[in-house]
């Protein structure tokens, strides 16, 4: 892991050197913006490096979506036989070169960066420069500068659960650190949830049980774990994670808008369509209305009712032009509901 710690430290320190030249006096609002911007720049550097992996993630998700009808068919075929279903699913993924684990690969690749920054910031403390100055390429001046760096008066090596003795060494207060760290952890949890939710809303829930389990883990499991573990993250690490989430939200929004996911199989619109016979039908429902006489089709008469009218049965059709003749009373037949009428008047003379 030393190689990872050294690489992360090198990127962080190079960005700090650059921002020190841009902002010679970087202390504003109790914040050392040179170190804060160096951490944000570290996020951007890592995300640019991992952008090709993110593109592969999107392509893999598109491939998984295209396979959803076949996945659903396999689930119906092997209902109750999970072992056979998983075997055929793996064969299908291998044949179509789709990887259900690709969806969370970028997150796994960023874990070493997170651990490297966490490991480095945990060792920052004033007066310890001689012990750590040669570790991972840090100089004594850089170590002391990072140890005293603050965000709105809260030291970036401090965390929500830091003791009063630790905060005294770092030059922070208990109330200030708890407020700053608490707000940042809440934002970190919210943006982590929104990042996963954004992707799932655009691509939909997977039909594959394994892929769906991964989606639920990313949507609910990771934010819940941060609620528990976020208290021990240094403020600098929380800044890194929150910035990464905000970057992911913007990146996903752009990619999903430029390359929208394919429409899910079996989904159609909800509007109405006109049939060739003049009737209307709801898209995706298969329900049609009745056509107009003379232009559409009508139900066929099969048999007669006691009152002399033909019975109509469903799913049988006859040309609509014969409806009038089929329903008209026979010559000489009495009407079903004769109305009482007075004697017919003879025309005058």
């Amino acid at each position: 892991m030393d190689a990872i710690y050294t690489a992360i430290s090198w990127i962080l320190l190079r960005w700090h050197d650059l921002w020190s030249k841009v902002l010679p006096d970087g202390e504003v609002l109790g914040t050392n913006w040179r170190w804060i911007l160096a951490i944000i720049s570290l996020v951007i550097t890592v995300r640019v490096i991992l952008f090709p992996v993110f593109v592969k993630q999107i392509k893999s998700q598109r491939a998984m979506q295209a396979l959803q009808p076949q996945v659903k068919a396999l689930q119906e075929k092997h209902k109750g036989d999970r072992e056979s279903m998983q075997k055929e699913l793996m064969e299908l993924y291998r044949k179509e070169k789709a990887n259900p684990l690709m969806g969370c690969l970028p997150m796994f690749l960023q874990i070493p960066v997170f651990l490297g920054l966490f490991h480095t910031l945990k060792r920052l403390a004033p007066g310890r420069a001689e012990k750590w100055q040669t570790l991972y390429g840090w100089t004594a001046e850089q170590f002391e500068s990072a140890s005293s760096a603050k965000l709105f008066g809260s030291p970036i090596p401090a965390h929500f659960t830091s003791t009063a003795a630790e905060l005294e060494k770092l030059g922070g207060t208990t109330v200030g650190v708890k407020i700053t760290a608490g707000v940042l952890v809440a934002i970190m949890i919210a943006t982590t949830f929104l990042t996963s939710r954004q992707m799932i809303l655009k691509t939909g829930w997977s039909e594959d049980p394994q892929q769906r389990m991964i989606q639920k883990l990313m949507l609910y499991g990771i934010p819940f774990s941060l609620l528990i573990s976020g208290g021990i993250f240094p403020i600098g690490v929380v800044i890194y994670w929150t910035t990464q989430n905000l970057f992911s939200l913007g990146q996903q929004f752009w990619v999903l808008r430029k390359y929208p996911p394919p429409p899910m199989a079996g989904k159609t619109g909800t509007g109405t369509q006109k049939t060739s016979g003049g009737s209307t039908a709801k898209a995706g429902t298969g329900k049609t209305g009745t056509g107009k006489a003379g232009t559409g089709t009508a139900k066929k008469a099969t048999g007669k009712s006691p009152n002399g009218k033909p019975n109509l049965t469903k799913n049988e059709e006859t040309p609509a032009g014969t409806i009038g003749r089929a329903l008209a009373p026979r010559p000489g037949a009495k009407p079903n509901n004769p109305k009482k009428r007075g004697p017919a008047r003879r025309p005058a003379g």
Side-chain angles (χ1 to χ4, degrees):
M1 293 292 289
D2 284 354
I4 295 176
Y5 301 152
T6 302
I8 299 305
S9 295
W10 186 86
I11 297 173
L12 182 66
L13 294 174
R14 298 294 77 75
W15 276 113
H16 177 260
D17 292 342
L18 176 62
W19 287 114
S20 296
K21 295 177 181 178
V22 176
L23 302 172
D25 299 322
E27 299 285 345
V28 180
L29 299 176
T31 302
N32 189 317
W33 293 106
R34 289 167 295 186
W35 282 107
I36 302 301
L37 291 173
I39 294 174
I40 294 174
S41 301
L42 172 64
V43 175
I44 297 174
T45 303
V46 172
R47 294 309 299 254
V48 169
I49 294 173
L50 294 181
F51 185 76
V53 180
F54 180 77
V55 173
K56 288 184 179 180
Q57 176 194 18
I58 296 297
K59 289 182 178 179
S60 177
Q61 289 174 340
R62 297 293 184 268
M64 293 296 297
Q65 288 174 324
L67 293 176
Q68 288 306 302
Q70 299 180 55
V71 172
K72 194 170 184 180
L74 288 177
Q75 290 174 340
E76 293 294 331
K77 177 182 177 182
H78 298 289
K79 187 176 294 184
D81 188 357
R82 188 177 182 84
E83 183 177 352
S84 298
M85 183 186 69
Q86 290 294 337
K87 184 177 179 180
E88 290 206 27
L89 280 177
M90 292 300 103
E91 179 63 22
L92 176 64
Y93 294 151
R94 185 194 64 78
K95 181 180 178 182
E96 300 295 334
K97 297 180 180 180
N99 187 355
L101 299 178
M102 181 63 71
C104 50
L105 181 61
M107 181 188 68
F108 288 146
L109 292 179
Q110 291 179 81
I111 289 179
V113 181
F114 167 80
L115 293 177
L117 187 62
F118 179 86
H119 177 82
T120 302
L121 294 182
K122 285 287 288 184
R123 278 151 181 75
L124 294 178
R128 301 173 63 183
E130 292 183 0
K131 181 178 180 181
W132 298 103
Q133 63 174 323
T134 58
L135 189 64
Y136 316 137
W138 289 70
T139 65
E141 182 182 0
Q142 290 169 336
F143 192 93
E144 288 294 337
S145 176
S147 298
S148 59
K150 297 180 180 179
L151 174 66
F152 302 124
S154 300
I156 62 174
H159 49 85
F160 187 84
T161 57
S162 293
T163 63
E166 292 173 338
L167 293 177
E168 185 178 357
K169 293 179 181 179
L170 294 172
T173 62
T174 302
V175 176
V177 168
K178 287 191 179 300
I179 292 176
T180 303
V183 171
L184 285 175
V185 169
I187 297 174
M188 176 180 67
I189 295 172
T191 52
T192 300
F193 174 81
L194 291 175
T195 302
S196 299
R197 182 174 178 269
Q198 181 190 51
M199 183 65 74
I200 293 174
L201 286 179
K202 289 291 184 181
T203 60
W205 288 97
S206 174
E207 296 288 344
D208 177 18
Q210 183 180 6
Q211 185 74 4
R212 182 181 285 262
M213 182 179 65
I214 294 174
Q215 288 178 321
K216 289 184 177 180
L217 175 63
M218 295 182 67
L219 183 62
Y220 302 112
I222 295 178
F224 180 76
S225 66
L226 293 177
L227 181 63
I228 299 173
S229 60
I232 64 172
F233 292 167
I235 290 176
V237 172
V238 181
I239 293 172
Y240 170 85
W241 194 307
T242 303
T243 305
Q244 174 181 273
N245 290 340
L246 294 173
F247 190 93
S248 296
L249 282 170
Q251 187 182 56
Q252 287 180 176
F253 177 81
W254 180 81
V255 171
L256 292 173
R257 188 172 182 177
K258 189 173 181 63
Y259 307 102
M264 300 299 291
K267 291 188 178 181
T268 59
T270 57
T272 57
Q273 298 175 345
K274 291 223 172 185
T275 63
S276 59
S279 59
T280 58
K282 281 191 176 182
T285 62
K287 296 181 180 179
T288 60
T290 56
K292 292 183 179 181
T295 60
T297 60
K299 296 176 182 177
K300 184 178 179 181
T302 58
K304 297 180 180 179
S305 63
N307 58 18
K309 285 188 176 181
N311 287 330
L312 298 179
T313 59
K314 296 179 180 179
N315 303 324
E316 296 181 9
E317 297 179 347
T318 188
T322 63
I323 280 185
R325 295 194 298 273
L327 297 180
R330 293 186 178 182
K334 295 182 180 181
N336 292 332
N337 296 313
K339 296 182 179 179
K340 293 183 179 181
R341 299 177 181 176
R345 294 182 181 181
R346 294 182 179 179

